[in-house]
Amino acid sequence: MFLALIASIPLHLAAAGAALPLAEADTAPNSSWQQVSPFDARNYDAQAERELLKKANVDRARAGLPPLKMDAGLVRAARKHAAEMAAQKHISHQFSGEPSPTTRIASASSLHLEVTGENVAMAANIEQAHDALMASPPHRDNLLSPKFNVAGFGVFRQGHMLYVAQDFGQSMATYSVQQAQALVSDSVEQLRAQAKMPRLQRVNDSDVQSSACAMAQADSLGATSPAPGTYMLRYTSMKPESLPSEISKVIAQRGLHTYSAGTCYARTQKYPHGAYWVVLVFY
């Protein structure tokens, strides 16, 4: 969800974050996003983008935070939106016919992102843009968020004005099937040990792995069902090592001897930035 803030002319700002609502003041006029007139790539100001990132990282250092790393995919997303704002001569997080910020960022970047956010602004120069963003609490929160570790800044110059889009994300590690299964299994065994129960034997089951991928393909946890005489847990997670709380009750049960883990990382409509689809079967 998103929040927007409109400041007085000549400076306009808007900020978006995963836990913030969209303000009515930032709705856009009707437009056709798919038919925006092409701009010369020279309108993008790469130097201004680097300067804005530098200024952001200076302020993050003062706050004791690590620097944001520039991601090429997030830059593409930010630049495209900055150009759209210039075409509309208006700032907004989403114009009529334009994908949502979440979809735009996911389409442009291959990163596995747990959290995303966005700032947009229009100003005469980067100093004015940055100072005003830092003076506005929701924009400052995005710039100084400890959750964000990657960013892409897009600056589009039109006449005497700069249209600025800043896209942020929390980039997470991505793992192979074998690595993800090992992380799930390690967590299972840790919980089993905490329950002071005998260690379970892990077995490889191709059907369990296929079930995980079937869920991902269907974008639904209901795409597979347990076999008779087994306990099956189906869930999604941004981190394969993080298990749902309900698993403790299953793991602590007596009479269990073996288990199998299946994982499938996928980007879906429900999880545009990617998630791990996990199946655990206990025998």
Side-chain angles (χ1 to χ4, degrees), residues 189 191-200 251-255:
E189 292 165 7
L191 285 180
R192 182 75 173 177
Q194 290 172 9
K196 298 182 180 180
M197 299 295 289
R199 184 172 181 174
L200 299 176
I251 288 180
Q253 292 188 40
R254 299 182 182 276

Side-chain angles (χ1 to χ4, degrees), residues 5-24:
L5 171 67
I6 299 296
S8 59
I9 299 295
L11 179 66
H12 298 271
L13 305 173
L20 302 175
L22 177 64
E24 292 295 331

Side-chain angles (χ1 to χ4, degrees), residues 112 172-177 179-181 183-184 212 215-216 221 235-241 262-266 271 274-279:
H112 175 40
M172 311 291 291
T174 54
Y175 302 99
S176 67
V177 170
Q179 290 172 325
Q181 288 179 352
L183 289 170
V184 171
M215 292 192 309
L221 294 176
Y235 62 94
T236 58
S237 177
M238 300 301 286
K239 302 176 182 178
E241 64 270 26
T263 65
C264 192
Y265 176 80
Y271 300 96
Y276 292 90
W277 296 76
V278 184
V279 174

